[in-house]
Amino acid sequence: MTRTPGFARLALLLVMAFVLALGAGCSRFGKKEPETETLPVDQLYQEANQSLRNGNWSRASNYYTRLIARFPYGEYTEQAQLDLAYAQFKAGNYENATSTIDRYIRTYPAHRHIDYAYYLRGLVNFNRENTFLERVARLDMSQRDQESPRQSFNDFLLLIQRYPNSRYAADARQRMVYLRNELARHDLNVGLYYLDRGAYVAAANRGKALLQDYPNSELDGDAIALMGESYVRLGEETLAADARRVLELNHPGHPWLRGDWPRGESVWRSLVPFSGEREVRTSALEDEDD
């Protein structure tokens, strides 16, 4: 039996239709490529920015990361790095945020938003030790490790030194006042611990260092009182009298002047009665050598 040309064309059309249908089915049921790999840079940034505004830090970080990887150069990428650092900061990924900020500062040292990068790094370190447990327990910052607060203070100091007219300078100055007081309170607590333990020379030196390192803090009066009490217990009457005279002149209402300071054991001792004693004792020996 001989097949007609019309039959052959019909068979060919059926085969082509089957192939097209099969391809469409594979496309429909196959793995869809994520939009982070297909969107143009402007739309990708808009999606990331919208997630940031909505507080979806994880999604924002993912979109910013893919934008930077796919489009390593350009205005969107420059801004995306700052936004990524902010999203990481809000998500509590402080190490990643710091790395992103440091990379931004190295790459774009003259960028018009470089002041914000320094400010954001200060915020990251300001909040680094503020864990959920500490927020719930309302622990005093002065009782925590001081490395991050010191770094935060230095970050804000660098900001106001390099960019004194920055829109972030005023807030940075306020945070520096707070940090200076907390760092001073930490040193005071250490000094009171020395006093409790009978390390009077170390206690006096810690009070002196507090005045030198954190001038005009709200703990100035306590620092002078710490020195005075240490000198009293050492039997250094002249030095104790000098401390009293300075305290009467600058802080006439201080409770040490009426024999009502310090009250009981130090805050450090009451919160952490045993832990860290060896480390603090080692520090006391160093203070006595000063």
Side-chain angles (χ1 to χ4, degrees), residues 188-208:
L188 177 67
N189 286 335
V190 173
L192 290 173
Y193 178 86
Y194 293 164
L195 195 68
D196 290 342
R197 303 296 292 174
Y200 303 134
V201 174
N205 287 338
R206 183 59 64 131
K208 186 186 304 182

Side-chain angles (χ1 to χ4, degrees), residues 34-51 59-60 62-71 76 80:
E35 63 180 0
T36 53
E37 305 303 320
T38 59
L39 288 177
V41 62
D42 56 338
Q43 294 183 28
L44 190 56
Y45 181 81
Q46 290 175 9
E47 288 290 333
N49 192 47
Q50 187 60 49
S51 296
R59 186 174 188 270
N62 180 43
Y63 273 68
Y64 285 129
T65 299
R66 291 310 304 152
L67 186 154
I68 295 168
R70 290 180 56 205
F71 308 98
Y76 283 108

Side-chain angles (χ1 to χ4, degrees), residues 68-198:
I68 295 168
R70 290 180 56 205
F71 308 98
Y73 306 103
E75 184 176 357
Y76 283 108
T77 301
E78 295 174 8
Q79 185 61 42
Q81 290 195 35
L82 274 183
D83 293 341
L84 172 61
Y86 180 76
Q88 292 169 332
F89 159 62
K90 294 296 290 184
N93 299 324
Y94 299 131
E95 292 297 334
N96 290 339
T98 300
S99 297
T100 301
I101 295 169
D102 289 344
R103 183 165 55 251
Y104 180 89
I105 292 174
R106 290 194 304 268
T107 307
Y108 309 108
H111 194 274
R112 65 182 184 276
H113 295 317
I114 192 67
D115 59 332
Y116 176 72
Y118 285 106
Y119 174 71
L120 183 57
R121 189 168 67 181
L123 288 181
V124 171
N125 285 310
F126 187 88
N127 289 273
R128 186 183 292 272
E129 300 299 328
N130 192 19
T131 64
F132 173 77
L133 179 60
E134 289 165 337
R135 289 196 298 270
V136 172
R138 298 185 182 277
L139 294 183
D140 187 346
M141 179 185 282
S142 68
Q143 303 302 322
R144 306 200 301 261
D145 178 72
Q146 298 302 295
E147 180 179 355
S148 293
R150 290 183 196 279
Q151 184 58 55
S152 178
F153 184 91
N154 292 333
D155 290 333
F156 291 134
L157 178 61
L158 188 61
L159 167 66
I160 64 175
Q161 287 177 339
R162 293 188 177 183
Y163 311 99
N165 298 321
S166 168
R167 60 185 296 188
Y168 309 106
D171 184 73
R173 290 188 179 94
Q174 291 181 352
R175 291 178 185 274
M176 287 177 66
V177 171
Y178 171 80
L179 288 167
R180 181 173 62 243
N181 289 332
E182 292 305 311
L183 291 168
R185 184 171 288 108
H186 173 269
D187 274 12
L188 177 67
N189 286 335
V190 173
L192 290 173
Y193 178 86
Y194 293 164
L195 195 68
D196 290 342
R197 303 296 292 174

Side-chain angles (χ1 to χ4, degrees), residues 181-250:
N181 289 332
E182 292 305 311
L183 291 168
R185 184 171 288 108
H186 173 269
D187 274 12
L188 177 67
N189 286 335
V190 173
L192 290 173
Y193 178 86
Y194 293 164
L195 195 68
D196 290 342
R197 303 296 292 174
Y200 303 134
V201 174
N205 287 338
R206 183 59 64 131
K208 186 186 304 182
L210 193 159
L211 292 174
Q212 294 173 346
D213 295 340
Y214 310 108
N216 302 317
S217 79
E218 62 184 20
L219 279 304
D220 279 2
D222 287 346
I224 298 170
L226 175 62
M227 295 170 62
E229 183 65 22
S230 300
Y231 294 143
V232 167
R233 299 188 188 189
L234 284 168
E236 297 286 350
E237 297 180 1
T238 301
L239 293 175
D242 289 342
R244 175 175 289 275
R245 184 168 56 254
V246 172
L247 195 60
E248 288 174 339
L249 180 63
N250 294 279

